[in-house]
Amino acid sequence: MTTPPTDQALERQLRVHEFLTARGWTLDGAREPGETWFANDPRAGWRYPASYGGTKINDVGDTTPVRLQAYFTFGEDGKEVFTVVPAGNLQGSGCAEHDTTERFFPFTADGTVDLAGIAPLLESWEPRAQALDPRALIECRYFGPCKE
């Protein structure tokens, strides 16, 4: 059973949804904003389908490079945060150019996501995600860091 969102969470989810879909992102998972509190549903979030030039990649557990994605989750302190993951290899298994880590964005004092602060990051992460070659990422991960 999922928890329904509070009014504040619903408004926050809808603002993020409108912001990201206007940039060409799509909703991931089976739920629309308002159907569930996104932080309680690990499949709910958004992805940038133009990642890797729009190439379809089969998802194989921790092996497949991640697409540019965003979701609500809980930070180390247990508070809900908004997270963006740039496209690349998770877990620090490749070179600095291809590695990626989650970026956590705490809510503002009024409980919103600072979309104006995130927009400049997406301005650089979206073109990078489009240009990345998934084959190069996989080779980097399994055959050693690039340029060795």
Side-chain angles (χ1 to χ4, degrees):
M1 170 168 246
T2 58
T3 305
T6 63
D7 288 344
Q8 184 181 35
L10 175 58
E11 183 179 333
R12 185 170 44 236
Q13 288 172 188
L14 290 173
R15 286 189 65 226
V16 168
H17 181 72
E18 290 170 2
F19 171 76
L20 291 175
T21 56
R23 299 179 68 89
W25 291 56
T26 59
L27 191 64
D28 241 351
R31 306 222 185 259
E32 291 288 327
E35 290 181 13
T36 187
W37 184 23
F38 270 33
N40 280 351
D41 185 349
R43 297 169 313 247
W46 297 266
R47 65 182 168 82
Y48 188 61
S51 297
Y52 311 125
T55 302
K56 178 166 176 23
I57 303 170
N58 292 329
D59 188 19
V60 181
D62 290 337
T63 301
T64 307
V66 297
R67 295 178 182 276
L68 179 56
Q69 57 189 287
Y71 46 86
F72 290 96
T73 191
F74 296 97
E76 290 182 16
D77 60 1
K79 293 182 179 176
E80 188 178 1
V81 294
F82 183 66
T83 303
V84 180
V85 182
N89 290 329
L90 286 174
Q91 291 99 21
S93 58
C95 69
E97 173 66 22
H98 291 139
D99 283 352
T100 192
T101 57
E102 293 176 304
R103 306 304 201 305
F104 298 100
F105 300 93
F107 298 152
T108 63
D110 63 350
T112 63
V113 176
D114 180 14
L115 298 174
I118 293 171
L121 296 172
L122 296 182
E123 291 295 325
S124 65
W125 292 346
E126 289 166 344
R128 179 183 179 275
Q130 288 176 12
L132 280 172
D133 177 2
R135 182 179 201 93
L137 288 162
I138 292 167
E139 289 178 4
C140 177
R141 181 177 183 132
Y142 287 98
F143 299 112
C146 299
K147 300 180 180 117
E148 274 194 352

